[in-house]
Amino acid sequence: MSTNPRKFRELLKNEAFIVSPGVYDGYSIRLVEAAGFKTAATSGAALSNSMLGVADIGVMGLTENVNHCRNLARSVSIPLTADADTGYGNPVNVFHTVRQFEEAGVAGINLEDQVSPKRCGHMPGKDVVSLAEMVKKIEAACLARRDDDFVIIARTDSIAVEGIDGAVKRAKAYAAAGADMLFPDAVRTEDDIKRLVDAAGIPLSVNMGFGIRSRPTTPIIPIPRLKAIGVKRISLPRMLPAAAIHGMTQALRLMQEVIRTGQPIDRPDLLVGIEDIMKLMGYEEMRELEKRLTTLDPEPLGV
């Protein structure tokens, strides 16, 4: 039986380029799988925003993160990588963090070199731990994993603090410490990405943010160009949360109009139907299981 880490390793080996949409709940991860994507990645920012209703400033704890990722990983068949923030402490804490995420069934984790409490990689005011401390964290992560296929993704936020030269130095050190993939965040130019690809010698993952909308810290670079300069994977951590927020905002605005005017509105172009929700969440499979395992006739599908 192929494990999620093994599935992700096979993608790294066999796929020319990987796109990992960012997910944060059961709807988003099932939609990613249904759309045909071969892997997904949790967004720590999206988890913190959606679960806790707070900014991505290091408030979310290890247990909250792991428990949510466990539910996401077991709801689909595609491998999921998780955002483990700074590893929740020193290298010893990182050791236990890796064990918990591995036991949760994810394929691997991002481990970043920010100081704690961390913040979103695209916010001002970031700082990073020493290179030596992060190297020890990566070594701890590699030592902790029981399955050698479990992927350790070393994220560096050092460009904003130490410039590209500092990031290149860290890339080499992180690869030498055993990281399986490098994830430099908030990289603004193709030249910087290319320097990091050449320096790391391991697969490089780039955060493309909203994916289909630019922002100052994330330029939209064509996928063929990213392939050409050696990028292995892009993640899209903000795309689905932003799309959901837009859709919910539109629906709530129209509902306020219904309340104000008293006139009903039917907008199937803006909302999926109940049948779409049931198909996405596997209601029919649930009914078949009930028929097989219970003596009671299942109730008709409700609303």
Side-chain angles (χ1 to χ4, degrees), residues 6-294:
R6 168 52 56 181
K7 290 177 184 177
F8 192 70
R9 288 278 185 179
E10 289 172 353
L11 289 176
L12 287 177
K13 179 181 178 181
N14 299 322
E15 295 289 322
F17 193 79
I18 302 168
V19 179
S20 295
V23 298
Y24 59 97
D25 67 359
Y27 288 142
S28 59
I29 195 167
R30 281 180 174 259
L31 284 167
V32 167
E33 182 178 46
F37 288 92
K38 297 180 180 180
T39 180
T42 66
S43 161
L47 294 190
S48 181
N49 296 165
S50 63
M51 286 199 303
L52 304 182
V54 299
D56 182 23
I57 52 172
V59 174
M60 179 174 64
L62 170 61
T63 301
E64 292 163 318
N65 194 349
V66 169
N67 286 344
H68 198 58
C69 288
R70 179 182 294 108
N71 289 333
L72 296 179
R74 70 187 180 193
S75 68
V76 292
S77 61
I78 60 174
L80 172 72
T81 59
D83 188 348
D85 290 340
T86 63
Y88 299 98
N90 64 22
V92 174
N93 296 106
V94 167
F95 183 96
H96 293 288
T97 292
V98 169
R99 287 282 171 95
Q100 291 196 39
F101 274 104
E102 187 177 11
E103 290 164 2
V106 301
I109 60 166
N110 299 340
L111 188 64
E112 65 193 61
D113 57 9
Q114 282 196 54
V115 299
S116 184
K118 58 75 53 91
R119 56 182 51 214
C120 171
H122 297 257
M123 291 171 61
K126 294 187 298 181
D127 200 0
V128 292
V129 300
S130 70
L131 187 153
E133 181 177 348
M134 185 60 182
V135 163
K136 282 299 181 183
K137 285 188 172 187
I138 294 169
E139 291 175 351
C142 294
L143 179 64
R145 59 186 171 190
R146 293 186 171 96
D147 183 351
D148 288 340
D149 286 330
F150 189 82
V151 177
I152 305 301
I153 304 167
R155 170 177 150 176
T156 181
D157 288 76
S158 58
I159 292 175
V161 182
E162 302 173 344
I164 186 61
D165 290 337
V168 165
K169 181 179 180 181
R170 284 175 179 263
K172 294 176 180 178
Y174 296 173
D180 301 297
M181 179 179 280
L182 181 71
F183 171 13
D185 205 17
V187 190
R188 298 194 180 196
T189 70
E190 291 184 27
D191 288 343
D192 285 352
I193 293 173
K194 178 60 176 170
R195 283 192 64 185
L196 289 163
V197 167
D198 294 340
I202 55 176
L204 192 87
S205 180
V206 176
N207 175 356
M208 282 287 104
F210 289 80
I212 53 176
R213 175 174 178 165
S214 64
R215 66 178 176 181
T217 54
T218 308
I220 295 180
I221 302 173
I223 286 178
R225 181 59 189 157
L226 291 169
K227 288 182 181 179
I229 60 180
V231 172
K232 185 65 175 184
R233 182 185 80 155
I234 61 170
S235 60
L236 307 167
R238 292 291 191 176
M239 184 177 72
L240 293 183
I245 291 168
H246 182 271
M248 289 188 285
T249 300
Q250 289 293 98
L252 291 167
R253 181 184 62 80
L254 287 175
M255 195 62 225
Q256 287 284 22
E257 185 177 331
V258 169
I259 295 168
R260 180 177 59 81
T261 66
Q263 296 299 313
I265 294 176
D266 187 9
R267 294 292 301 273
D269 58 315
L270 295 182
L271 284 79
V272 300
I274 187 61
E275 65 280 0
D276 300 301
I277 296 174
M278 290 178 172
K279 180 179 179 181
L280 177 66
M281 301 310 296
Y283 275 61
E284 192 58 46
E285 291 84 351
M286 175 272 295
R287 291 190 69 197
E288 290 301 318
L289 191 62
E290 285 183 334
K291 290 178 182 178
R292 180 178 179 181
L293 299 178
T294 70

